[in-house]
Amino acid sequence: MSSGLQPGAGLSGKQMKSNFVNNHIRLNGNVHGHKLQLCNKCEEMRLPEGGVQMSASRWICASCWTNRVTSQNFKEMAK
């Protein structure tokens, strides 16, 4: 994968380093080293994959989200 920077593109070394740092942060999407998040429903530390950000301060893990969605579907089917 190329970075899109060509030799002699007119960027100084400092600008190239800045672009590398910004691209690295953007590509990884995680500035901090925390790998687990606290689920607001079950109050356990869980992996963020599959979880749902409900609001700025509320996050639900994949397991709790699945339970919530399936229980709502069953309630609708019972009507």
Side-chain angles (χ1 to χ4, degrees):
M1 180 164 88
S2 87
S3 65
L5 295 176
Q6 300 296 325
L11 296 176
S12 69
K14 187 174 184 178
Q15 288 173 324
M16 288 177 69
K17 182 177 180 184
S18 175
N19 284 338
F20 172 78
V21 171
N22 290 337
N23 288 335
H24 180 71
I25 291 172
R26 188 180 74 240
L27 291 175
N28 286 339
N30 188 5
V31 177
H32 305 290
H34 303 294
K35 302 223 188 276
L36 300 175
Q37 287 185 325
L38 178 65
C39 175
N40 294 106
K41 181 79 172 167
C42 65
E43 297 182 349
E44 292 185 25
M45 296 300 287
R46 301 288 184 121
L47 290 173
E49 289 82 15
V52 177
Q53 191 76 37
M54 302 297 287
S55 68
S57 62
R58 185 168 167 80
W59 180 82
I60 297 178
C61 68
S63 178
C64 291
W65 177 252
T66 303
N67 290 340
R68 177 180 172 164
V69 171
T70 55
S71 68
Q72 287 177 352
N73 289 341
F74 285 135
K75 287 177 185 175
E76 288 177 9
M77 290 173 53
K79 289 181 181 180

